[in-house]
């Protein structure tokens, strides 16, 4: 309701309907109330249509039926057992949600690791924590078909390690990601060609058609809320510059050096900046240090000892370039590393900063001290 009030408070004209490009400056709007379509023209346009749930083309799945994350959030009933298809953030958060309510859960992921964009040690730590609670996780699978058991439960059959496995549950949840919501926009009429469904946008959030901008899931590259907000602000600023409403000096560009991810499972997972895989792909020499929560006083007192913290620093300068956490309050803890990286702090800088005892935050000092001893000019290979 609050958002609806903001949209209708008179600051701008609100058109409720489906839009499609007629040309690069004209949109045809089909109103939601069924009234006649009409055209709107503009000197600058922002495409921010978000994403839609991706559905799996798996034999038998449409016949037996399945849920999406939207269905779960709207549901007023609870399944007794669930098979979750997918190993990304949404899949694992939904799996944790169900498991926390006492539902028997199995996760089936096609890639060798869940959270495939993170380093394997991070995903492995989460899977270990899940497994200790009885939540089953299958990775490196090939989905074969869906069906029903003799007792009427829904089934998923997949291949793993050369053998076929069939799981049965009361419900199946599809959580295999989302895709850009561009269907029906007629982007070709504006001279924009999508790339695997995504609207191409540069660091200024401008598309190949200079006065058309894009922000959020519709263009990527990272589908998280805070990034979409920043992209929208960047696009709006640059549109204002283009229209002569702001000076050129106010132009903005996106910088993903501090790309941030948080996953609200138990334990939580969070990361910022580079992974080891990213550093290797860029040919950047880094040192890596970790420290486990099961050897940290505050987490032991809390009884939350699963997981670890991890820091990456440039070998030549010691500058922090990445961090990750699997463990208690991970999504809160990661922000200390975000701030440090924003100011281009070195591991030695972080090691010098006072940390109160006994707190979860002081765990960062251990990998920071280790990296401080192993990075910098004296250690540059």
């Amino acid at each position: 309701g609050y958002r609806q009030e903001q949209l209708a408070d008179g600051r701008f004209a609100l058109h409720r309907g489906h839009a499609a490009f007629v040309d690069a400056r004209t949109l045809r709007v089909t109103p939601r109330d069924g009234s006649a379509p009409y055209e709107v023209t503009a000197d600058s346009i922002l495409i921010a249509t978000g994403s839609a749930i991706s559905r799996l083309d798996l034999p038998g799945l449409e016949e037996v039926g399945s849920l999406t994350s939207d269905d779960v959030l709207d549901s007023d009933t609870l399944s007794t057992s669930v098979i979750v298809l997918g190993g990304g953030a949404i899949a694992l958060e939904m799996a944790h949600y169900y498991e926390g309510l006492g539902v028997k859960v199995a996760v089936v992921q096609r890639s060798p690791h869940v959270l495939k964009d993170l380093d394997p040690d991070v995903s492995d730590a989460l899977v270990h924590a899940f497994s200790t609670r009885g939540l089953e996780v299958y990775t490196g699978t090939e989905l074969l078909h869906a069906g029903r058991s003799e007792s009427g439960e829904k089934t998923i059959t997949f291949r793993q390690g050369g053998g076929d496995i069939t799981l049965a549950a009361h419900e199946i949840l599809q959580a295999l990601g989302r895709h850009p919501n561009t269907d029906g926009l007629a982007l070709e009429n504006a001279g924009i060609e999508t790339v695997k469904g995504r609207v191409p946008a540069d660091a200024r959030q401008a598309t190949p058609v200079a006065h058309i901008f894009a922000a959020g899931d519709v263009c990527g590259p990272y589908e998280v809320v805070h990034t979409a907000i920043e992209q929208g602000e960047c696009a709006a600023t640059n549109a204002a510059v283009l229209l002569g409403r702001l000076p050129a000096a106010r132009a903005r560009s996106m910088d993903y050096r501090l790309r941030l991810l948080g996953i609200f499972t138990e334990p939580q997972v969070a990361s910022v900046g580079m992974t080891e895989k990213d550093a290797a792909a860029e040919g950047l020499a880094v040192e890596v240090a970790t420290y486990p929560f099961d050897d940290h006083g505050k987490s032991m007192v809390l009884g939350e000892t699963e997981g670890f913290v991890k820091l990456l620093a440039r070998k030549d300068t010691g500058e922090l370039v990445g961090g990750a956490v699997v463990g208690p309050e991970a999504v809160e803890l990661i922000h200390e590393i975000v701030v440090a990286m924003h100011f281009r702090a070195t591991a030695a800088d972080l090691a010098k900063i006072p940390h109160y005892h006994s707190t979860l935050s002081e765990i960062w000092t251990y990998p920071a001290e280790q990296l401080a001893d192993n990075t910098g000019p004296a250690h540059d290979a």
Side-chain angles (χ1 to χ4, degrees):
Y2 172 69
R3 293 300 184 199
Q4 289 179 335
E5 289 176 8
Q6 284 187 309
L7 291 171
D9 67 5
R11 284 180 290 174
F12 45 77
L14 174 63
H15 302 266
R16 299 192 68 88
H18 296 277
F21 282 94
V22 176
D23 57 42
R25 295 185 184 275
T26 309
L27 293 165
R28 182 175 178 82
V29 179
T30 303
R32 291 180 59 182
D33 62 11
S35 57
Y38 56 91
E39 293 186 353
V40 175
T41 60
D43 293 324
S44 181
I45 296 170
L46 171 64
I47 303 170
T49 51
S51 61
I53 290 174
S54 296
R55 295 185 178 273
L56 178 65
D57 184 16
L58 181 68
L61 187 58
E62 185 174 346
E63 288 76 13
V64 300
S66 61
L67 301 176
T68 67
S69 57
D70 287 350
D71 297 325
V72 173
L73 296 175
D74 289 338
S75 177
D76 57 2
T77 60
L78 193 63
S79 304
T80 56
S81 55
V82 175
I83 300 169
V84 178
L85 303 181
I90 294 175
L92 297 183
E93 288 178 347
M94 291 289 100
H96 164 62
Y97 162 75
Y98 273 123
E99 191 273 339
L101 292 173
V103 176
K104 179 175 169 44
V105 180
V107 175
V108 182
Q109 162 74 330
R110 291 174 293 186
S111 300
H113 297 279
V114 299
L115 303 176
K116 61 182 180 180
D117 292 332
L118 300 182
D119 286 322
D121 57 349
V122 175
S123 60
D124 289 346
L126 180 62
V127 169
H128 177 268
F130 272 13
S131 299
T132 60
R133 300 207 310 268
L135 196 155
E136 299 175 356
V137 181
Y138 300 85
T139 58
T141 69
E142 177 189 357
L143 295 175
L144 299 177
H145 56 81
R148 285 195 181 274
S149 67
E150 291 183 0
S151 62
E153 288 188 308
K154 298 180 181 182
T155 62
I156 290 290
T157 300
F158 56 91
R159 186 161 293 146
Q160 184 189 54
D164 291 357
I165 299 173
T166 297
L167 301 178
H170 179 255
E171 193 55 82
I172 297 169
L173 170 63
Q174 282 195 68
L176 295 159
R178 305 176 68 91
H179 62 272
N181 190 22
T182 53
D183 291 347
L185 291 180
L187 288 164
E188 65 279 4
N189 293 339
I192 297 175
E193 183 177 345
T194 60
V195 180
K196 294 183 178 180
R198 281 186 173 177
V199 176
D202 61 18
R204 299 175 302 112
Q205 297 307 128
T207 71
V209 180
H211 68 277
I212 300 178
F213 297 83
D217 287 9
V218 76
C219 61
Y222 306 108
E223 294 77 25
V224 288
V225 172
H226 76 276
T227 299
I229 293 171
E230 187 179 357
Q231 288 176 336
E233 293 171 347
C234 179
T237 300
N238 292 328
V241 170
L242 180 69
L243 298 174
R245 297 178 184 176
L246 288 177
R250 292 280 300 275
R252 290 177 55 174
S253 293
M254 292 294 297
D255 179 6
Y256 297 110
R257 184 175 66 88
L258 300 179
R259 64 185 182 273
L260 181 62
L261 175 67
I263 302 168
F264 294 98
T265 49
E266 181 62 43
Q268 295 179 12
V269 181
S271 70
V272 62
M274 284 187 164
T275 63
E276 290 186 68
K277 293 185 293 184
D278 295 333
E282 294 190 16
L284 182 66
V286 297
E287 283 288 314
V288 180
T290 64
Y291 198 83
F293 280 104
D294 66 5
D295 192 41
H296 183 56
K298 186 57 178 282
S299 53
M300 293 168 70
V301 169
L302 292 172
E304 298 186 39
T305 55
E306 291 280 359
F308 63 95
V309 295
K310 176 178 183 177
L311 290 174
L312 287 74
R314 290 180 60 121
K315 192 170 181 64
D316 56 354
T317 65
E319 180 184 341
L320 295 169
V321 295
V325 198
V326 183
E329 301 297 338
V331 183
E332 300 290 344
L333 288 175
I334 198 64
H335 287 87
E336 178 172 352
I337 308 307
V338 178
V339 173
M341 287 177 57
H342 173 78
F343 290 105
R344 296 191 177 275
T346 64
D349 292 330
L350 182 59
K352 292 175 185 175
I353 295 173
H355 286 73
Y356 203 82
H357 178 78
S358 167
T359 62
L360 288 173
S361 297
E362 66 178 332
I363 195 172
W364 288 118
T365 62
Y366 302 113
E369 289 169 355
Q370 182 180 334
L371 290 177
D373 291 337
N374 295 314
T375 60
H379 302 276
D380 185 11

